[in-house]
Amino acid sequence: MHENQFDPQILDKIHLLQEKFKASGQDMLSYLEGLLYADYLTYWEYINLDVLLALQQPKTSFKDEKIFIIYHQITELYFKLIISEMEQIADEKPLSQDFFKNRLERILMYLDHLISSFAMMWKGMEREQFLKFRMSLLPSSGFQSAQYREIELMATDAFHLIEFKSRADFDYHSPTDDIFEHLYWQQGAIELATGEKTLTLKNFELKYGKKLKDLIENYRRKNLWQRYMELEKPETELTELMKQLDLKANVFWPLAHYKSAVRYLQRDPVDIAATGGTNWQKYLPPRFQKVIFFPELWTEKEKEEWGKGWVVKEIFGED
Ligand code: HEM
């Protein structure tokens, strides 16, 4: 090929580029000049590494506080991945069972990572350090994780997330404001002595209340459960994945988390108060809350026993 001749493949690409720019009324020459001066992309810019590594700002000088911050951030990133998969299931039209299963499998994989890595919390920090630095974090709490609430509200009809004792009084048609006030976590963060919402909850509602109510409305017809119900004949394999999701999200993750609370906050004779002010011994264990995304997929006995066997064996070391 002569020195001044272009490789035909390059010419092809130039033609394609020309069509692209022409279609949007852009001047290709200016873009080519831009390319000439543009720097090569680097790894650190692409993933925004400097920003990412600047996001760990401990409130105290206890070294283990950094672990606490980073693990929360890791968890929030996994939550973001889970939400992204849930959005895809919600918006896919038409929704094939293969697509549904594939996205559920990804969600389960993320949850598996979260469940097994929780050991970083329950055995990865010095208790003495934790008990000190946590006092500088009042009244914040993981309770205020909006993405955790989003995952719940995108998974199922919101009335399934009502506090256990009044759950039967609500159904698909209950108004959003009414449902919102009775969500299990709203009731979990009410001070027993005064009947008032904790400051942790008030701050959370101020920032995210509107967004979460909008989400309840938007997902009434497209949460995972509704999309599953739309299917004429769900495959057994898909149903099994839905049940796995229910167990991992509502039994195994909460128990891995609860194990941390027990490890750091359990003390005889009086347990240590949580930063978010809940009665955590009664609030966190799945056997009390009985949050179940897909109750229709479980037998009465399974619902009755929700979270029981594992808690006793894993946390208290009994059979
Ligand atoms: C040593 C580690 C941890 C301890 C001791 C702990 C303790 C607690 C306690 C006591 C609560 C009840 C609310 C309150 O009164 O504050 C709570 C709620 C919560 N925490 Fe943690 N936590 C830990 C780590 C984490 C991590 C790493 C995450 C990840 C984001 C997280 C997310 C949550 C969530 C989502 C709730 C609300 C759960 C619900 O409403 O059912 N926690 N935590």
Side-chain angles (χ1 to χ4, degrees), residues 92-212:
E92 180 76 356
K93 284 189 192 97
L95 176 61
S96 75
Q97 301 218 25
D98 279 348
F99 185 92
F100 205 152
K101 282 189 293 185
N102 177 279
R103 289 339 190 237
L104 278 179
E105 275 164 1
R106 292 185 192 174
I107 295 175
L108 295 179
M109 177 171 66
Y110 301 144
L111 283 171
D112 281 340
H113 289 190
L114 285 176
I115 292 161
S116 63
S117 62
F118 222 107
M120 269 178 74
M121 290 289 95
W122 56 260
K123 65 175 183 190
M125 295 183 295
E126 279 183 20
R127 188 169 189 263
E128 285 60 41
Q129 288 195 35
F130 175 80
L131 288 178
K132 287 184 185 130
F133 72 67
R134 67 188 282 279
M135 301 314 287
S136 308
L137 314 181
L138 288 163
S140 74
S141 164
F143 179 91
Q144 294 171 316
S145 166
Q147 289 203 108
Y148 187 83
R149 306 303 173 204
E150 286 171 27
I151 291 171
E152 295 179 324
L153 294 170
M154 291 166 81
T156 190
D157 296 334
F159 72 89
H160 286 140
L161 304 170
I162 298 288
E163 56 153 344
F164 188 61
K165 68 177 160 51
S166 17
R167 201 168 293 167
D169 303 337
F170 289 77
D171 62 23
Y172 182 81
H173 302 286
S174 309
T176 294
D177 283 341
D178 214 8
I179 290 184
F180 189 75
E181 277 312 310
H182 290 86
L183 290 172
Y184 77 93
W185 46 269
Q186 292 267 9
Q187 300 303 312
I190 286 183
E191 280 166 14
L192 292 179
T194 60
E196 271 216 25
K197 293 181 177 183
T198 59
L199 182 57
T200 307
L201 176 56
K202 282 185 194 157
N203 287 343
F204 178 71
E205 268 197 274
L206 217 54
K207 175 142 173 75
Y208 295 112
K210 162 97 175 56
K211 186 177 182 204
L212 292 177

Side-chain angles (χ1 to χ4, degrees), residues 25 34 113 116 170 180 241 254 275 288 303 314:
H113 289 190
S116 63
F170 289 77
F180 189 75
L241 292 172
T275 52
F288 296 128
K303 284 185 271 190
E314 288 294 319

Side-chain angles (χ1 to χ4, degrees), residues 4 20 41 49 68 70 73 77 95 106 135 139 144 155 170 182-183 239-240 243 259 267 272-273 278 280 282 295 309:
N4 287 333
K20 170 184 163 169
L41 184 65
L49 192 59
F68 193 63
I70 292 179
Q73 292 178 337
L77 287 177
L95 176 61
R106 292 185 192 174
M135 301 314 287
Q144 294 171 316
F170 289 77
H182 290 86
L183 290 172
T239 308
E240 207 37 55
K243 291 174 79 173
K259 199 163 173 165
R267 186 177 60 184
I272 300 167
T278 61
W280 63 269
K282 285 272 182 266

